[in-house]
Amino acid sequence: MWWRSPSFILDRQQQQNDSVAQNPESVFLSSPPPSMADSLQNPKPNMSAYYQTRAAHHAVVTSDWLAQAQAAVDRHPDDDGSSGSEGRAAPRSGGGGEKAFSVIDEFNSWRKQPDLAEAVAAIFALAAVIRSSQATTMMELEIELKKASDSLKSWDTTSISLTAGCDLFMRYVTRTSALEYEDFYSAKSRLIERAEKFGEISRKARRIIAMLSQDFIFDGCTILVHGFSRVVLEVLKTAAQNKKLFRVFCTEGRPDRTGLRLSNELAKLDVPVKLLIDSAVAYTMDEVDMVFVGADAVVESGGIINMMGTYQIALVAHSMNKPVYVAAESYKFARLYPLDQKDMAPALRPIDFGVPIPSKVEVETSARDYTPPQYLTLLFTDLGVLTPSVVSDELIQLYL
């Protein structure tokens, strides 16, 4: 699961290096940390060989993809330091200690951070539940945590990533039988440690995805994007920082003007950008080299649920042999298997057409659609670069 992820492996290597730095005498008493080649050639008993040899297994990433992920993390050392400290001291929305703890208030407090995803805010809020719990047994703590998770999921029943993030958090934090052999306070400390680690991994996901995707963006290319995805913005921002020369086509559609928002952000980075209506996708597709989209959720089939219009863009791109890349954090992997567009919970958004609509006219207000896996080329995740057919295997590993 998460302990197999590149972030966790890199954090463990960093901890080993820190311990050596704090105890210089131990350099002569212990062997040096294994190299990247050693970690790939010599599987460890507590780490699946499948994950250590992912590059050879999928043949889509180079063998140094973990090193690339490390470079992505090291690119912003100040950010990592702040995220770790902030992850351990969650902001409280209340005033003094007299106010009873509320997981929804904690969640809303984290949501005030503009760059923090809803699912990650929920993860930090659940971590705060463990820290503030007055339970005296593991059973009481698990029941309290389950109630808090259900409260967060009911806060927005249409948010698939929020539900998936809460489910993965519960599975990750409580998945070991070792807790049965410890006293309660030691077990609770372990739960808090795992919760904070889970939050840090989730927070670093975008940066890792941005680095892993750089080999696929080349000078002179034209990228079509749809909707406002913070992870796609991070991918393009990293490419611009790497001095790559490219231009971006942003589709603008209803109801929330996401294309306009993304084009404004790209303009601030001095990236050449063109804004076009989403009905002009086929008209401009012959100028496009690749399509980059985010995802509200990645489902078991390897398809994605995303902003309305993603499906038709993927259809046009597929018919014209253009690759469609998806950038999505692994906490968006959901145990869903939609069979068609109507086989998922509706997410409705009001649409303002700017003119009065007759009462007898029905307006389609669905805000997202489902794109089947056969129209997607690759998925860039913090677990690596995956083909759609591998997603079901990853879901099994995540929820084991």
Side-chain angles (χ1 to χ4, degrees):
M1 201 180 113
W2 286 97
W3 51 270
R4 296 186 179 97
S5 71
S7 300
F8 186 84
I9 298 171
L10 296 172
D11 287 344
R12 184 170 57 186
Q13 292 176 351
Q14 184 63 40
Q15 290 172 1
Q16 292 174 351
N17 295 337
D18 292 343
S19 63
V20 170
Q22 293 174 1
N23 303 294
E25 296 179 359
S26 65
V27 175
F28 303 99
L29 300 177
S30 61
S31 57
S35 64
M36 184 62 62
D38 293 337
S39 64
L40 292 173
Q41 296 174 4
N42 302 310
K44 302 177 183 178
N46 62 342
M47 189 193 314
S48 169
Y50 171 84
Y51 284 84
Q52 296 184 54
T53 58
R54 182 187 299 278
H57 185 80
H58 300 308
V60 291
V61 234
T62 58
S63 60
D64 61 342
W65 69 279
L66 275 177
Q68 293 177 349
Q70 176 67 76
V73 174
D74 291 342
R75 184 182 299 277
H76 304 284
D78 296 336
D79 292 349
D80 285 348
S82 62
S83 67
S85 60
E86 291 175 1
R88 289 174 173 79
R92 301 298 177 132
S93 56
E98 298 178 358
K99 184 176 179 180
F101 176 83
S102 169
V103 67
I104 299 298
D105 291 343
E106 185 76 15
F107 171 64
N108 287 329
S109 182
W110 279 106
R111 286 181 63 243
K112 293 177 182 177
Q113 300 186 29
D115 293 331
L116 201 65
E118 223 174 49
V120 180
I123 289 167
F124 283 129
L126 289 173
V129 170
I130 303 176
R131 284 194 298 269
S132 62
S133 174
Q134 301 298 318
T136 57
T137 65
M138 281 302 301
M139 182 61 70
E140 291 178 4
L141 181 56
E142 288 189 16
I143 292 174
E144 187 176 343
L145 200 56
K146 178 67 165 58
K147 289 181 179 179
S149 175
D150 291 342
S151 296
L152 289 172
K153 288 190 286 187
S154 64
W155 182 83
D156 183 1
T157 56
T158 65
S159 177
I160 303 175
S161 61
L162 178 60
T163 298
C166 290
D167 289 343
L168 281 171
F169 176 89
M170 293 292 295
R171 191 73 189 106
Y172 175 73
V173 170
T174 61
R175 62 169 301 181
T176 178
S177 60
L179 298 179
E180 300 174 3
Y181 304 98
E182 300 178 0
D183 65 274
F184 171 72
Y185 295 102
S186 298
K188 183 177 178 180
S189 297
R190 281 201 176 188
L191 289 182
I192 294 173
E193 181 182 348
R194 289 186 195 137
E196 291 174 347
K197 175 61 69 176
F198 190 92
E200 291 170 13
I201 290 172
S202 301
R203 206 165 196 174
K204 282 192 275 189
R206 288 183 201 154
R207 204 172 303 151
I208 293 174
I209 293 170
M211 178 54 68
L212 292 178
S213 62
Q214 293 308 298
D215 288 342
F216 296 82
I217 300 176
F218 53 89
D219 284 337
C221 69
T222 299
I223 304 172
L224 175 70
V225 297
H226 181 62
F228 185 89
S229 168
R230 282 172 289 197
V231 65
V232 171
L233 177 60
E234 185 71 22
V235 168
L236 300 177
K237 181 179 179 180
T238 302
Q241 291 172 343
N242 291 339
K243 307 300 182 183
K244 292 192 175 184
L245 303 176
F246 61 96
R247 63 173 178 162
V248 179
F249 288 172
C250 291
T251 60
E252 173 54 25
R254 305 284 181 167
D256 44 9
R257 299 184 177 181
T258 52
L260 183 60
R261 289 171 55 202
L262 184 59
S263 61
N264 287 338
E265 294 295 329
L266 293 174
K268 295 176 184 178
L269 301 173
D270 293 327
V271 174
V273 58
K274 178 189 285 188
L275 192 64
L276 58 128
I277 55 176
D278 52 7
S279 57
V281 167
Y283 175 79
T284 57
M285 188 59 74
D286 59 342
E287 303 178 51
V288 173
D289 294 297
M290 67 191 74
V291 177
F292 253 104
V293 295
D296 289 345
V298 180
V299 298
E300 293 184 43
S301 63
I304 62 169
I305 297 173
N306 195 39
M307 177 183 174
M308 181 65 71
T310 304
Y311 181 32
Q312 64 187 17
I313 291 175
L315 283 172
V316 173
H318 184 264
S319 67
M320 300 181 71
N321 295 318
K322 307 291 184 177
V324 178
Y325 299 137
V326 179
E329 303 90 331
S330 56
Y331 56 75
K332 293 181 178 179
F333 283 32
R335 289 182 293 180
L336 299 173
Y337 203 106
L339 299 178
D340 55 34
Q341 298 300 324
K342 308 299 182 182
D343 193 20
M344 54 185 177
L348 307 179
R349 299 288 187 274
I351 299 179
D352 180 15
F353 289 97
V355 295
I357 303 296
S359 59
K360 295 182 180 180
V361 175
E362 183 180 358
V363 177
E364 177 60 65
T365 56
S366 298
R368 62 193 181 196
D369 58 24
Y370 165 62
T371 304
Q374 61 266 31
Y375 303 111
L376 307 177
T377 308
L378 291 173
L379 291 93
F380 296 96
T381 78
D382 48 302
L383 298 178
V385 183
L386 311 177
T387 58
S389 60
V390 180
V391 169
S392 59
D393 294 336
E394 293 293 338
L395 271 165
I396 292 172
Q397 295 294 333
L398 285 174
Y399 284 97
L400 271 180

